[in-house]
Amino acid sequence: MGVDAGAVVRADSAAGVGEAGVAAAPGGAAVVATLAVAGAVLGLAAAGRVAAGGGAVGGTPVGLAAAPQAASRTEVGAAAPRITSDRRVSFPFIATPYARLVGGALEVATLRFEHRRETLGIGVARPRLSWTVRAEVPGWRQAAYELAVDGVRPPETTGRVASGESVLVAWPFAPLRSRERATVRVRVWGADGSASGWSAPAEVEAGLLDPADWTARFVGPTWPEDPTRPRPCPMLRREVELRGPAARARLYVTALGVYEARINGQRVGDHVLAPGWTSYRRRLRYQTFDVTPLLRAGRNAVGAILGDGWFRGRLGFRGGRRDVYGDRLALLAQLEVEYVDGSRETFATDDRWRAATGPIVASDLYDGETYDARLERDGWDQPGYDDAGWSPVAPVAWDLTTLVAPTGPPVRRTAEVHAVAVTRSPSGKPIVDFGQNLVGRARLTARGEAGQTVTLRHAEVLENGELCTRPLRLARATDQYTFRGGEAPETWEPRFTFHGFRYVEVDGWPGELGPGDVVAVVCHSDLERRGWFECSDPLLQRFHENVVWSMRGNFLDVPTDCPQRDERLGWTGDIEVFAPTATFLYDVAGFLESWLRDLAAEQDERGVVPYVVPNPLPNAYVPAAAWGDAATIVPSVLYERYGDLGVLAAQLPSMRAWVDCLANTAGARRLWDEGFQFGDWLDPAAPPDKPGAARTDPGLVATAYFARSAELLSRAAGLLGQADEAARYAELAAEVRAAFDREYASPNGRIVSDAQTAYALALQFGLIEGAARRAHAAARLVTLVRAEGHCVGTGFVGTPLILDALAAAGAWDDAFKLLMQRACPSWLYPVTMGATTIWERWDSLRPDGSVNPGQMTSFNHYALGAAADFLHRSVGGLAPAGPGYRRLRVAPRPGGGLTWARVEHVTPYGPAACRWRLDGDLIEVEVSVPPNTTAEIVLPGRDDGPVEVGAGAHRWRYVYAQERR
Ligand code: BGC
């Protein structure tokens, strides 16, 4: 994901010698040294780095050694995969030497519009502005800023504005008009009197902000199609005559279906599966591309290939549905050219376009793509091609008011993974092992005879040496390529499909298959990496790396449950539990903002949130706790992590509708204890075929979430200045809490479902009154965790809460024992089995090496990886204490035998870091606090209260009592 973050991070991290750190450091005999240094906090833990991204940890293959019996039935473990051209950023401070700010104590580092890195075609007239600074001044705080805008408009400036705000500041100028390009600069002053120069200019360009800007109409092929059979992908083209060279040209484009646009033989942009997946009937994204370099004076060919994608491909399980959004593919393209003389011309999809089928014979997200290279139409996207034999197109009716600009990044091809082995299965088929379970597709290169077909089948695991496709259920996940033939090698990668796989079985390969012949191409939303965690334990480190890989695989335009089987849906419960982890690891603000708008758009008139968003499922409109509560929880997490009040404002009606729906469902008793629930889904005690049969009462879970949602709604209303509404829902929340307490908690504080999830919910959501009762409940939770032998005893709902609940109860040892557990069920058990992603089930691969027989057995589900947020906040010790990390709470916690850990996060104010290391009897803690923020630091093992610090790098080294470890 974003390659540029490294530069931002390492440059941003400069900070002066932190006077505050020295002054506020705890005194007393235990403190051996207290230092606060510029930059030195960063880059010290490199020695402990393990092979991130690999199936091997610390050079030892994980799976086979730890689980020898597993090898007999199922292939696990592997050598580390070789990954090239990966757009991820590795640990920024380790990857690059720390650079001190040279020649100036203060400068603006970044200036952004909304949450976008790419600002061409922004969809709002008043994009909010955020900037970060590099400051060598310790404790630097902003006192004022000045913004200036330039462009075709008369220049404007705000003058000096006395304000400490630097994140999502309201656009202070006249609104942008459609297509308008503007350049913004900012300069800042510090409370200490420091002043920066003007920032580098940042450019923004508005997209088409008004439906009336569109002269194009959707057009599609007219040939008859049989929806019960695979439908070939249409190609559409038209030639246009430019009366001179273009000074500036934009292509505004989208499709009913997925598209790849082309101009004069070249691909437009590098998006994959554009326009992505939204609730199309209410929100359909269009993209804006700068196509100036692709055009020339005279004749130009403009074209596009269309695929079924989410629009009319198969969606959903048990056979699913096709044509969910419509049965006709169509293209909407508007090419706007501005000539050197300033005149303009627009070429838009209309009845002059022509259509034909081509080499993509079939394409489906679940089933894969079939390509016959003999059907290629050479030169079709070049001017001068004879399309006389092509069919006319016809308009396809669509409401253009649904068109919206993206708020998040597109899906891209972000890395290539090379095979670690090519083996032959017992049935004689070559199987390529990429050593990493990933999401994307395979690219092949070979020379074959015309008409010869290679078949690629994908799977996440092997069973008895053969591809194990049972977990894919009805997704065929099969790509087929038929050679065109000839002397030259042919290279092919499917366009309009993706698979979740580590293994590819290859059939029909011409000659001997070599390890370099098939390469895996990783695809996902091109989010910017924002967070890193490393520690001394290789298994825990690999667990974290697995969380990152599962996030990559399941952030493919929509936050999905899984990327491989006949599902891949935006399950609300999964992102509800994973949102805190996601917001830390990547910048998901724009991505989830878009998804939340879809969530709101999909709510029915009763406020019910469907199980999945966007929703292609029949019968999904039944309120389900922890799933539908994504409506309140995800916006609240975005506010907490990114300081985005706008997202709360935008989602408030949706949040309110959901809570009102719960109030209606629960009725006057305020107990939501009737009707269907997923409950503590996948409690490890539930049988494989009954994933909902949890130990915790589903009504208890639902009532707990009802209280939580009412509380979050009340807080959001309060933040938005709606005091009455805040009071009303605070009262509702109090009533629900009281009802919960009456119904589910004993006078002493025992909970009726005597299960870990029940206690974790009651404690973390604050549902029982009285300190003594809470202490009793906490003690009972600890007893239950111990009784389980510190194996995990929670499902979807309890898992993100259990470690925090134990920590809050002071049971850190138990939290660490649970975290570091290797026996099944535990977070590390899959790692011992060679997992390279997070599994759906605690035992997707069972200890005897067999694949779990349940109908749902994915090897790439991020939900249970939600524990990574505890690693970031508590083991690493970096948490927000104010919206958007304006204030940080840094409270690292050694334990579990760890000797060091480090965590870094690029907050909206710049990079923050915390690292601790045990060194004999000493501990060293280093903290980096971004400019314009403050932090409270809770030093491990010290009881003398939090230390207050300002921006800068701070270091403490002191005696750390053994018994505290
Ligand atoms: C999905 C889960 C989802 C669940 C809801 C499953 O099929 O994969 O992750 O949340 O259904 O019950």
Side-chain angles (χ1 to χ4, degrees):
M1 306 194 184
V3 272
D4 60 346
V8 172
V9 172
R10 65 176 176 270
D12 256 359
S13 52
V17 171
E19 222 175 284
V22 176
V31 180
V32 172
T34 302
L35 301 169
V37 291
V41 68
L42 310 167
L44 291 176
R49 185 130 198 258
V50 296
V57 178
T60 313
V62 174
L64 298 177
Q69 74 278 36
S72 58
R73 278 185 50 80
T74 306
E75 298 288 326
V76 294
R82 191 160 65 84
I83 303 172
T84 55
S85 48
D86 196 343
R87 296 170 63 96
R88 289 181 311 159
V89 189
S90 55
F91 232 105
F93 302 138
I94 289 177
T96 50
Y98 175 70
R100 267 186 81 110
L101 182 62
V102 186
L106 178 66
E107 65 186 36
V108 176
T110 59
L111 174 57
R112 292 257 173 112
F113 302 89
E114 290 294 321
H115 294 291
R116 292 187 42 150
R117 257 184 306 159
E118 300 162 50
T119 51
L120 185 63
I122 204 159
V124 287
R126 293 184 181 83
R128 294 169 298 171
L129 297 154
S130 307
W131 56 89
T132 59
V133 304
R134 281 188 281 263
E136 281 205 343
V137 187
W140 190 87
R141 279 182 303 111
Q142 180 184 297
Y145 66 81
E146 181 175 9
L147 287 159
V149 70
D150 217 332
V152 287
R153 55 173 58 208
E156 270 182 85
T157 101
T158 57
R160 182 179 160 130
V161 180
S163 166
E165 296 306 312
S166 58
V167 170
L168 299 167
V169 171
W171 178 260
F173 310 115
L176 294 170
R177 296 180 303 275
S178 288
R179 309 177 184 84
E180 187 183 348
R181 198 170 179 82
T183 299
V184 177
R185 292 174 302 146
V186 65
R187 59 176 170 169
V188 297
W189 290 269
D192 60 339
S194 57
S196 77
W198 282 105
S199 68
E203 292 204 321
V204 64
E205 183 177 310
L208 301 183
L209 303 178
D210 184 341
D213 292 324
W214 289 92
T215 50
R217 291 295 173 261
F218 279 98
V219 295
T222 49
W223 53 76
E225 292 177 301
D226 177 356
T228 63
R229 301 177 57 80
R231 292 165 280 191
C233 290
M235 309 194 307
L236 275 65
R237 77 183 302 278
R238 191 202 148 180
E239 293 188 17
V240 299
E241 184 85 28
L242 263 59
R243 55 174 187 263
R248 179 168 107 149
R250 300 286 181 262
L251 183 69
Y252 303 98
V253 55
T254 189
L256 307 181
V258 285
Y259 72 88
E260 181 181 304
R262 306 189 65 87
I263 290 182
N264 295 333
Q266 292 196 56
R267 187 172 170 179
V268 175
D270 57 359
H271 298 192
V272 170
L273 295 167
W277 188 17
T278 46
S279 302
Y280 293 135
R281 288 274 166 195
R282 298 162 184 112
R283 299 179 65 244
L284 172 62
R285 290 194 207 113
Y286 69 90
Q287 282 73 37
T288 304
F289 294 103
D290 179 359
V291 294
T292 321
L294 301 182
L295 294 168
R296 48 194 180 232
R299 283 199 90 65
N300 292 266
V302 187
I305 314 170
L306 303 180
D308 290 355
W310 297 277
F311 188 83
R312 70 169 196 183
R314 187 153 63 90
L315 289 177
F317 35 90
R318 297 196 197 99
R321 288 162 68 201
R322 290 186 191 281
D323 297 350
V324 168
Y325 298 97
D327 59 2
R328 294 191 58 195
L329 298 183
L331 175 73
L332 181 81
Q334 188 157 308
L335 173 64
E336 299 196 0
V337 179
E338 191 180 313
Y339 293 105
V340 181
D341 64 7
S343 64
R344 303 177 59 88
E345 199 169 5
T346 297
F347 307 92
T349 37
D350 58 18
D351 57 8
R352 280 171 285 184
W353 285 60
R354 312 279 291 170
T357 57
I360 307 180
V361 178
S363 187
D364 184 84
L365 296 175
Y366 295 168
D367 292 333
E369 196 158 296
T370 306
Y371 190 95
D372 187 340
R374 295 169 303 175
L375 302 177
E376 283 170 358
R377 296 177 183 267
D378 293 343
W380 74 276
D381 51 2
Q382 297 276 7
Y385 175 84
D386 180 8
D387 61 14
W390 287 39
S391 309
V393 295
V396 176
W398 194 265
D399 177 3
L400 298 188
T401 64
T402 57
L403 295 174
V404 293
T407 54
V411 176
R412 288 200 171 99
R413 304 150 85 250
T414 62
E416 296 191 351
V417 180
H418 301 266
V420 292
V422 177
T423 55
R424 200 162 278 275
S425 71
S427 65
K429 305 247 175 69
I431 294 184
V432 184
D433 176 3
F434 291 101
Q436 171 64 52
N437 194 27
L438 55 87
V439 175
R441 54 254 187 143
R443 185 181 66 229
L444 59 83
T445 303
R447 210 196 62 74
E449 299 297 322
Q452 192 172 358
T453 297
V454 171
T455 302
L456 306 178
R457 296 200 308 137
H458 304 73
E460 299 187 296
V461 285
L462 304 181
E463 204 169 20
N464 299 323
E466 299 287 347
L467 216 57
C468 180
T469 55
R470 181 171 48 79
L472 306 181
R473 298 192 307 218
L474 297 180
R476 286 183 62 236
T478 301
D479 296 333
Q480 282 196 313
Y481 179 75
T482 300
F483 286 89
R484 183 184 175 121
E487 284 312 305
E490 295 171 41
T491 293
W492 178 73
E493 175 191 330
R495 269 191 183 81
F496 297 136
T497 192
F498 66 91
H499 310 291
F501 64 100
R502 169 173 162 174
Y503 300 95
V504 175
E505 181 198 88
V506 182
D507 200 16
W509 191 261
E512 193 62 27
L513 179 68
D517 294 339
V518 181
V519 171
V521 180
V522 178
C523 298
H524 49 79
S525 290
D526 192 11
L527 304 163
E528 185 178 358
R529 184 82 190 256
R530 284 296 181 97
W532 295 264
F533 170 85
E534 286 190 353
C535 69
S536 58
D537 185 87
L539 290 188
L540 193 60
Q541 178 62 54
R542 180 66 227 195
F543 163 75
H544 190 267
E545 190 66 13
N546 291 357
V547 174
V548 174
W549 272 103
S550 280
M551 176 162 175
R552 294 178 83 176
N554 283 296
F555 272 64
L556 200 151
D557 211 57
V558 160
T560 55
D561 57 334
C562 60
Q564 74 297 75
R565 66 179 180 226
D566 53 354
E567 204 152 349
R568 314 183 193 188
L569 302 173
W571 278 98
T572 47
D574 302 48
I575 188 61
E576 183 266 305
V577 297
F578 193 69
T581 303
T583 51
F584 182 90
L585 292 174
Y586 288 93
D587 179 358
V588 294
F591 176 101
L592 287 179
E593 177 186 332
S594 174
W595 183 78
L596 283 170
R597 286 188 192 162
D598 285 324
L599 180 147
E602 296 272 15
Q603 277 173 282
D604 72 6
E605 62 294 341
R606 298 166 300 155
V608 179
V609 176
Y611 301 149
V612 294
V613 173
N615 176 40
L617 299 180
N619 313 320
Y621 282 95
V622 178
W627 271 252
D629 295 288
T632 54
I633 288 171
V634 177
S636 303
V637 172
L638 292 183
Y639 174 67
E640 175 191 80
R641 300 300 176 96
Y642 301 128
D644 188 349
L645 201 55
V647 79
L648 286 185
Q651 294 304 123
L652 197 71
S654 151
M655 296 169 81
R656 191 191 304 116
W658 171 249
V659 173
D660 288 349
C661 161
L662 301 189
N664 290 335
T665 307
R669 292 165 59 236
R670 300 300 192 213
L671 292 173
W672 183 12
D673 57 357
E674 283 170 14
F676 171 80
Q677 293 293 348
F678 292 115
D680 192 24
W681 190 249
L682 286 170
D683 178 329
D689 59 339
K690 289 200 177 70
R695 283 168 282 192
T696 302
D697 182 295
L700 183 156
V701 171
T703 304
Y705 265 94
F706 178 18
R708 178 81 178 149
S709 275
E711 174 71 35
L712 292 175
L713 170 59
S714 162
R715 275 190 223 168
L719 287 163
L720 293 164
Q722 304 187 14
D724 289 354
E725 188 154 317
R728 184 149 51 93
Y729 287 103
E731 199 180 313
L732 175 63
E735 287 170 19
V736 181
R737 279 197 298 269
F740 179 98
D741 199 334
R742 270 197 310 277
E743 184 76 11
Y744 296 115
S746 78
N748 280 348
R750 190 178 275 237
I751 311 287
V752 293
S753 282
D754 197 25
Q756 294 182 30
T757 292
Y759 287 97
L761 276 171
L763 290 166
Q764 290 306 103
F765 287 4
L767 302 174
I768 34 182
E769 271 300 321
R773 294 174 76 224
R774 279 196 295 275
H776 188 72
R780 182 67 195 158
L781 172 63
V782 173
T783 303
L784 290 176
V785 168
R786 290 181 184 165
E788 209 83 12
H790 294 97
C791 281
V792 167
T794 48
F796 256 49
V797 165
T799 296
L801 303 175
I802 185 74
L803 292 168
D804 284 305
L806 289 170
W812 281 95
D813 275 358
D814 295 283
F816 272 108
K817 279 186 181 145
L818 192 59
L819 182 63
M820 304 304 284
Q821 177 64 261
R822 297 177 184 198
C824 186
S826 70
W827 284 286
L828 297 190
Y829 160 75
V831 184
T832 69
M833 297 294 283
T836 58
T837 37
I838 302 298
W839 297 346
E840 175 172 27
R841 292 174 180 271
W842 297 109
D843 60 347
S844 281
L845 197 62
R846 301 200 292 190
D848 67 359
S850 61
V851 173
N852 190 302
Q855 264 297 297
M856 304 176 337
T857 303
S858 144
F859 290 85
N860 202 352
H861 250 66
Y862 53 55
L864 299 181
D869 196 49
F870 180 81
L871 297 183
H872 305 147
R873 283 184 291 102
S874 297
V875 180
L878 215 54
Y885 297 83
R886 184 75 193 259
R887 180 165 170 75
L888 289 86
R889 179 176 162 84
V890 183
R893 182 76 191 203
L898 299 177
T899 55
W900 63 267
R902 51 182 287 134
V903 64
E904 297 178 7
H905 179 63
V906 183
T907 75
Y909 297 89
C914 178
R915 170 212 170 249
W916 59 263
R917 176 192 287 276
L918 300 177
D919 177 10
D921 283 347
L922 302 177
I923 188 168
E924 187 174 84
V925 180
E926 293 173 283
V927 177
S928 188
V929 178
N932 210 18
T933 68
T934 56
E936 60 173 28
I937 307 209
V938 182
L939 289 168
R942 298 190 55 82
D943 302 324
D944 43 3
V947 181
E948 278 295 317
V949 299
H954 310 277
R955 183 197 290 177
W956 294 267
R957 196 175 156 82
Y958 54 92
V959 173
Y960 181 67
Q962 287 288 341
E963 64 272 16
R964 293 189 199 274
R965 294 184 190 176

